[in-house]
Amino acid sequence: MDWKDTLNLPQTEFPMKANLVEREPKFLEFWEKEKIYEKMLEKRKDAPLYILHDGPPYANGNIHLGTALNKILKDIIVKSKMMAGYKVPFVPGWDCHGLPIELKTEQELGVKRGELPPLTIREACRKYAERYINIQREEFKRLGVFAFWDKPYLTMDYRYEATIAREFLRFLESGQVYRRKKPVFWCPTCVTALAEAEVEYGPHKSYSIFVKFPFTEELKDFISKEYQVTLDKPAYVLIWTTTPWTLPANLALALNPDFDYLLVKWEDEYYLVAEGRVSGLCAELNKDLPKIVAKIDPKNLEGKKTLHPFYNRESLIILADFVSLETGTGIVHIAPGHGEEDYQVGLKYGLEVYVPVDQEGRFYKEVDLIGGLSIYQANEKILEILKQKGHLLSSDKIEHSYPFCWRCKKPVIFRAEDQWFISMELKGLREKALQAVEKVKFIPYWGKNRLYSMLENRPDWCVSRQRVWGVPITVFKCEKCEEILRDFKYYEKVIEIFEKEGCDPWFVKPAEELLPEGTVCPNCGHTQFSKEKDILDVWFDSGVSFAAVLEKIEELSFPADLYLEGSDQHRGWFHSSLLCSVGTRGVPPYKALLTHGFVVDGQGRKMSKSLGNVIHPQDIITKHGAEILRLWVSAEDYRDDIKISKEILSRLVEAYRKVRNTCRFLIGNLYDFDPKKDLVPFEKLPPFEKYILYRLSRLIEKVKKGYEGFEFHLVYHEIYRFCVIELSSLIIDINRDYLYCEPRESFKRRATQTVFYYALDSIVKLIAPIFSFTAEDIWQNLPYPKEEISVFLTEFPDYRFDLSQDEVKRWETILSLREEFLKALEIARKDHKVISTFLEAEVYVEAPEDIKELLKDNSFWEYFLMVAKFKMIEALDPVSEPQTFVSEETPGLKILVKPTEYKKCERCWQRKPEVGRLPNPELCERCYQVVGG
RNA sequence: GGGCCUAUAGCUCAGCUCAGGUUAGAGCGCACGCCUGAUAAGCGUGAGGUCGGAGGUUCGAAUCCUCCUAGGCCCA
């Protein structure tokens, strides 16, 4: 007969193949239909709040692996915190305003800047953002992310726009905002100022010219007298520049006060250069070493003047620390209107912020010689003029790193414009921000250092943009005396309008309709006011999200427990949020900051179209399922860069199958188990089962700790390892005989099932934040009554199964002895070929005194090693028995494996002495009893 | 060019930042073998690392210091 029918084989509908790609949407549907996330929150309505505040992705384009990684990490936190007993309302957001969308929209409409009225563009931008919000929302949902998808926050919501304006006014009113001409990155193509974040660097070909600034008579005299030299030939200060077009704006020449300068004679002319550059210059200019005429202390020259190389005016000699010896002549041409450092040092010397170039990069008509030319045309013309005047020493071209506009990819320039700034100093914003950093917890710890040094060094925040898709800088100015209205009372009406209609009206209504009736200038009594035209930097929009979201939405609270973004956000959102919050509330908007790295390919290189190594989330979802993406996010240590490759994915797929299959085996063997009545109390369990449960409680401990410390890769590895070792390779393999062959109700079988029950119950909950789809799949297939309709409505297990230290040690020794026996058995099978399966083996062992005690229970070891016979004997002789295995790990341990003579029980396949001697010759005693003779 | 970070077996990670100390661990993959009552499964054994490189401190360094190389983020 076929004894198979008498066994308790596993039974389950839970499929081995997950078919994730097809089945994931069904779980998404289930979660949505059953409102699982809402129920989670409802269930924890009185639990302590945990606020993870979503950093808004830009509402443009599809999601990529970086955004997917970010949202999955957040989801793992939302779910794990919730299952650890917190209430975690997660409101997703989108950043909607800004140049990229405005440019895209113009492109789609086929128009250029300014060709359409602001409201038309704004309307189109709004539609564009909406479109991508919907796309991205679906993509995020597909990842299995739980959130308030139906009520996200959008920076273009009317109420949000009103908040942005209000928060700006707080800065204005508190005296932290000023307007000043200042060089900023300026894109002449897009005709706008750019934020630092909107500029990218790349190689660029520029001129490389050496220009002569003639000494004034006064300077000649001074040097002649002071240094006892006769300047019988023309004398010049020599400078090097890559931007000839900035020469018309030159107002000064800067020397480093710490360098020595030389007056040298080359051919028939005198030049002033830094001593440290002379030999370098000779090489570059292909000249012989010059004759040194005098060594000059730059401090003596401060305040002296040269002539401009082609205009009839002078250029002031000044001192500046930033002048270096790396390139050029050690003397820097200063144009305060066209460079940040130039501007800074210009302020110190009281230089004018002179800008002869208009918004589109053309010289103003009234500029001599080059009026009306673009800066590129001017480059050529200036070279010509310099040559003509004999003031061009050398001209060449070089390739170097240069800033480009992140949208149009064209080179940008530095150009001073009237801009609005939030001051880092006026009200001590920098100091307050630095102090606030001290109060924040950083994960990893070095984030603190990074944010700190950025705040320490950053310039004032230029918040104005000359565009329309954004929130206006709500400032009224008296048309007569130019007084700015700073008091909030002048703006209450506008804010109210914004709340109801958004900020469109600002662009079309006259000032008097936006101001409270009867407003008069507090300074001069005038009644006519003008509106500011610029809009706010988008970083300000997202920077005030704490005010628009955390403070406004009832379920949330300020400050947040956690902000979680990529490491670039130290200069982005982490930074702007901190400034906005500290500047208006005096405290940081977050208690902790968590940073992750960037997604790179298998070789650690960044993903780029040009390298052709880009992987899209969609590729992985349609091939493996979103679950694999979630595993990837959890398995990798996000503090470093996060690698992804085909090999990494295939390892994840295999790990996934292992976990799934292990759970499937547990499910299949619990089909007749009712925890209510069949559960064996821990104290009554046999030692091995107890040990496994002890290991399970250690796992639970580690996993919870892993979640708490945001170390998800440890969670992943620990759970995976537990499935492989403790479950699959140990108790499942060893106790399989009990499950299949012992009577259903037997103690041995119920004891094993008890372990399975605890293991399955724990694992399904512990993996849920990561393996969300699969945990739900398992939950829906549990063979016993479920406590909740979804695994997400449960909490992490808190079983504690303790063993004494001695008992744990004992088991560790038993397991290492087991490894020795397995080695011996494997050698007997593979090398000596005396057995083919361990079930056929007889094991004889000679043991050292200290472990004899552990090896004396023959039937335990027969069960534990799954062998036919186990026997400890006094002495084994490797000489007479050359097949004896001598342990290296455990000195004195010798093992001899022999094939058994016992016959195989046809039911349980174990070899037993009594097989053949019972009424049923095919069976062993146990099986004979079980099948009832 | 500057700031911060990373570099341990083919892959993913432990160990290492603020305590330096036995032959550097795990799982997967790979090779070989077993099983065929988890079966597009399962079990076993084995081979893989001069801890990115070079110096230094120390009786002793994957762990501390310096420099270099490669890569990432941010800035110029």
Side-chain angles (χ1 to χ4, degrees), chain A residues 112-166:
Chain A
K112 287 192 186 132
R113 182 174 189 272
E115 283 182 1
L116 289 174
L119 288 202
T120 313
I121 291 288
R122 285 176 59 84
E123 179 59 26
C125 287
R126 190 170 283 276
K127 287 243 167 67
Y128 182 95
E130 264 165 18
R131 196 161 89 218
Y132 279 101
I133 288 162
N134 287 327
I135 288 170
Q136 291 187 6
R137 173 165 36 205
E138 290 313 306
E139 290 173 328
F140 284 140
K141 283 161 88 169
R142 179 63 187 81
L143 299 172
V145 173
F146 284 6
F148 290 145
W149 293 118
D150 296 335
K151 31 181 183 170
Y153 77 85
L154 310 178
T155 59
M156 65 181 184
D157 280 345
Y158 295 162
R159 290 191 62 206
Y160 197 119
E161 287 186 336
T163 301
I164 294 168
R166 194 185 296 110

Side-chain angles (χ1 to χ4, degrees), chain A residues 334-372:
Chain A
I334 299 292
H338 291 293
E340 172 67 23
E341 288 172 322
D342 304 43
Y343 166 78
Q344 292 294 349
V345 72
L347 278 185
K348 201 171 135 196
Y349 283 93
L351 301 176
E352 183 196 349
V353 183
Y354 173 50
V355 180
V357 176
D358 74 9
Q359 299 197 335
E360 288 170 5
R362 292 182 172 277
F363 281 89
Y364 290 114
K365 292 254 164 21
E366 56 275 20
V367 178
D368 261 359
L369 305 170
I370 49 172

Side-chain angles (χ1 to χ4, degrees), chain A residues 691 694 802-814 854:
Chain A
Y691 175 69
Y694 159 77
D802 286 320
L803 289 186
S804 69
Q805 279 305 305
D806 287 352
E807 190 66 5
V808 172
K809 274 231 172 69
R810 190 180 138 81
W811 273 99
E812 280 162 5
T813 313
I814 289 174
L854 283 175

Side-chain angles (χ1 to χ4, degrees), chain A residues 29-80:
Chain A
E29 227 169 83
F30 167 76
W31 291 329
E32 190 157 346
K33 201 176 114 229
E34 294 292 333
K35 297 188 182 340
I36 296 302
Y37 182 49
E38 287 81 344
K39 283 181 181 151
M40 287 172 90
L41 289 163
E42 172 59 25
K43 215 176 155 205
R44 292 164 181 84
K45 62 177 188 291
D46 300 322
L49 262 183
Y50 187 85
I51 303 296
L52 167 60
H53 182 38
D54 192 28
Y58 199 59
N60 183 16
N62 295 72
I63 67 167
H64 52 261
L65 276 180
T67 36
L69 168 90
N70 179 264
K71 272 294 192 289
I72 291 173
L73 280 175
K74 285 170 178 163
D75 188 51
I76 292 173
I77 290 171
V78 167
K79 286 169 178 163
S80 63

Side-chain angles (χ1 to χ4, degrees), chain A residues 155-269:
Chain A
T155 59
M156 65 181 184
D157 280 345
Y158 295 162
R159 290 191 62 206
Y160 197 119
E161 287 186 336
T163 301
I164 294 168
R166 194 185 296 110
E167 294 301 314
F168 171 76
L169 289 166
R170 281 185 205 250
F171 275 101
L172 183 74
E173 193 177 42
S174 61
Q176 304 189 76
V177 175
Y178 67 91
R179 182 172 169 84
R180 183 156 81 191
K181 216 176 212 186
K182 183 174 177 178
V184 289
F185 283 115
W186 186 273
C187 179
T189 313
C190 303
V191 196
T192 183
L194 296 173
E196 290 170 54
E198 292 165 339
V199 167
E200 37 190 54
Y201 288 79
H204 182 58
K205 265 220 168 106
S206 297
Y207 282 103
S208 164
I209 61 169
F210 287 88
V211 181
K212 309 185 215 173
F213 280 63
F215 280 22
T216 52
E217 288 304 320
E218 185 203 357
L219 182 57
K220 261 189 196 166
D221 289 350
F222 172 76
I223 290 190
S224 304
K225 278 183 198 141
E226 189 79 14
Y227 294 92
Q228 313 287 320
V229 295
T230 318
L231 296 176
D232 49 351
K233 302 284 179 192
Y236 304 101
V237 172
L238 189 64
I239 66 101
W240 172 75
T241 182
T242 56
T243 47
W245 67 266
T246 59
L247 287 170
N250 172 281
L251 296 177
L253 298 173
L255 280 61
N256 191 315
D258 298 327
F259 298 163
D260 283 323
Y261 286 81
L262 297 178
L263 187 66
V264 302
K265 191 173 184 191
W266 253 315
E267 284 138 27
D268 263 348
E269 294 182 332

